[in-house]
Amino acid sequence: MSAAPLTARIPGSKSITNRALLLAAAAPGTSTLQDPLVSEDTVAFRDALTALGVRVSEHATSWEVSGAGHGPTGGAHVWCADAGTAARFLPPFAATGRGTYVFDGSGQLRARPLRPLADALGRLGAKVRTEGVGGLPLRVDADGLRGGELAVDGGLSSQFLSGLLMAAPLLSDPLTVTVRDLVSRPYIDMTLALMRRFGARVDEDAPGVITTAGGGYTATDLVIEPDASTASYFFAAAAVTGRSVTVPGLGHDSLQGDLGFVETLRTAGARVEIRADSTTVTGTGPLRGGFEVDMGTISDTFMTLAAIAPLADAPVTIRGIGHARLKESDRIAAVAGNLAACGVTTESGRDWLTVHPGAEAGTGAGTGVVRPARIACHRDHRIAMAFSVLGLRAPGRLTLDDPACVGKTFPGFHAELNRLFPKETLT
């Protein structure tokens, strides 16, 4: 029998926070974002907007954004730090304005591709120049964008499409985007839902054919729901420790596709309850393996499953995750390398990973499932958080080479995990 339910304190969604910041900046008037995520990525995004001339006022539990109703003017040098959403969402917004804008970021962010976005903006009339491998620094000489028809390859990142769509209501004419090979479809659904929430007129006339009319946005107050990707670590922790964890504010009506991660835990034997305003996962015993799952639409959570898969009683295969090789790290290679360091056998290909059981997996023995290892985080917050969950079943055996990298999305992650799962309860 599991212990009393635990309530996890999960901060606001990064994906919703950064989209809402941009939409509020594009709307005339003041929008209030309640319970935004305050982390390295969202602060970097907020500061980048400030560099573009947008005023954001901080309050105890909210941010107020004063939007102009149009793109920026005057030009600016914009620092994106490590925030991929800033580098993908803000250049289209800048291109709808006037002036010269140069976007740059960390070495890690410079290594991530931007060429498809630059090419798409060029076809809409912008003058865009990238450097190196087609990434940052990126220069936009802005003089407004025209509408029309645009074909976009969505195979590398859905963020390119989201950036273009959010800028579209500020264009001089309607824009119809046809996207092929789209990855992470739930993030596009989130983008469209938030655009409509801020008053945009946008329709999907056929699958992958999205038309956005002009007319701009309307200032809107929005409550940011908890981050489903971050919640995945606490749901997984419940599954592997036999405890029960509830995340309030994350239920049936969530805008985030990553809540679907709990269905993989259900397949692995956990009990899952999704209510109108909360989700609860309860561990029921050793994890069940012997299944394959396509996580292409929820790839930010594949590492959570992969990190606990050594605890299952049979191999687990994860497919559809090729685009995860282009994130903060090559996430497939990073997970496989760290599992190998733990003595766990894996196999992988371009877009898949199979994880075999560790020693004593499925027996409930716990500490024998992995050998001692130092986890290479690759400055990737999701690697650090995912392997922290595996560490709950191997107290003292796993350490992180960069525990502070979780600050990208959840600075308080380690404290919250230790609050809910103190080591003395897991031995």
Side-chain angles (χ1 to χ4, degrees):
M1 180 180 296
S2 63
L6 306 169
T7 299
R9 299 182 298 219
I10 305 299
S13 163
K14 181 188 81 168
S15 299
I16 296 177
T17 298
N18 282 354
R19 283 167 172 79
L21 277 169
L22 175 55
L23 296 172
T30 300
S31 299
T32 299
L33 309 183
Q34 184 68 36
D35 299 326
L37 172 64
V38 181
S39 72
E40 291 173 3
D41 261 18
T42 58
V43 170
F45 197 103
R46 184 194 68 196
D47 290 348
L49 274 178
T50 299
L52 291 173
V54 178
R55 185 164 61 86
V56 182
S57 302
E58 301 176 60
H59 301 278
T61 60
S62 65
W63 289 347
E64 284 187 355
V65 184
S66 299
H70 53 72
T73 58
H77 190 284
V78 182
W79 179 251
C80 299
D82 279 340
T85 50
R88 275 88 180 269
F89 293 174
L90 295 180
F93 175 58
T96 67
R98 301 288 186 275
T100 296
Y101 301 89
V102 178
F103 296 85
D104 204 356
S106 66
Q108 184 187 56
L109 191 57
R110 281 188 171 195
R112 298 176 69 177
L114 283 176
R115 178 71 67 191
L117 178 63
D119 291 345
L121 289 174
R123 294 197 298 274
L124 292 175
K127 295 179 180 178
V128 182
R129 186 174 69 205
T130 60
E131 295 189 15
V133 295
L136 298 177
L138 181 147
R139 172 176 170 147
V140 179
D141 292 311
D143 190 26
L145 292 178
R146 59 176 180 264
E149 296 187 358
L150 183 67
V152 175
D153 183 351
L156 288 180
S157 173
S158 65
Q159 290 178 358
F160 301 141
L161 178 58
S162 283
L164 293 166
L165 290 173
M166 287 189 287
L170 303 180
L171 272 57
S172 59
D173 299 297
L175 175 67
T176 297
V177 178
T178 301
V179 60
R180 60 185 182 279
D181 301 326
L182 178 61
V183 297
S184 303
R185 171 71 210 213
Y187 284 99
I188 298 304
D189 293 336
M190 176 195 298
T191 297
L192 297 176
L194 287 169
M195 289 173 64
R196 293 180 181 116
R197 184 75 175 267
F198 278 82
R201 294 179 293 158
V202 55
D203 296 295
E204 188 161 5
D205 307 310
V209 181
I210 303 168
T211 298
T212 302
Y217 292 103
T218 302
T220 301
D221 295 340
L222 183 72
V223 177
I224 309 296
E225 63 186 57
D227 193 292
S229 306
T230 298
S232 75
Y233 310 112
F234 296 88
F235 290 141
V240 302
T241 62
R243 301 296 299 272
S244 182
V245 168
T246 296
V247 176
L250 199 59
H252 282 303
D253 296 330
S254 172
L255 294 174
Q256 301 171 81
D258 278 4
L259 181 57
F261 172 76
V262 297
E263 297 304 327
T264 68
L265 294 179
R266 193 195 303 273
T267 300
R271 186 166 70 247
V272 175
E273 301 170 81
I274 305 176
R275 304 180 183 87
D277 58 356
S278 68
T279 297
T280 300
V281 171
T282 304
T284 60
L287 292 184
R288 293 198 302 260
F291 63 88
E292 294 189 4
V293 57
D294 188 325
M295 299 185 75
T297 60
I298 55 171
S299 64
D300 276 352
T301 64
F302 99 80
M303 292 158 289
T304 317
L305 178 62
I308 65 172
L311 303 170
D313 59 9
V316 173
T317 296
I318 305 169
R319 298 194 179 277
I321 52 174
H323 52 289
R325 292 189 182 275
L326 301 172
K327 298 285 188 173
E328 284 84 343
S329 64
D330 178 338
R331 286 176 166 171
I332 297 177
V335 168
N338 281 315
L339 288 175
C342 295
V344 175
T345 299
T346 66
E347 303 163 64
S348 62
R350 182 186 62 81
D351 66 349
W352 61 274
L353 174 72
T354 296
V355 181
H356 291 268
E360 302 180 31
T363 67
T367 58
V369 75
V370 298
R371 68 189 182 202
R374 185 169 176 81
I375 301 301
C377 296
H378 300 274
R379 290 185 61 209
D380 190 331
H381 55 132
R382 301 211 182 280
I383 297 292
M385 290 191 272
F387 278 88
S388 293
V389 179
L390 178 60
L392 296 177
R393 282 287 301 273
R397 287 182 170 236
L398 302 184
T399 58
L400 305 176
D401 70 352
D402 185 13
C405 70
V406 301
K408 184 176 174 70
T409 49
F410 188 6
F413 170 79
H414 297 299
E416 182 66 359
L417 193 68
N418 289 333
R419 181 184 74 84
L420 295 177
F421 301 96
K423 288 183 171 58
E424 60 267 26
T425 69
L426 301 173
T427 57

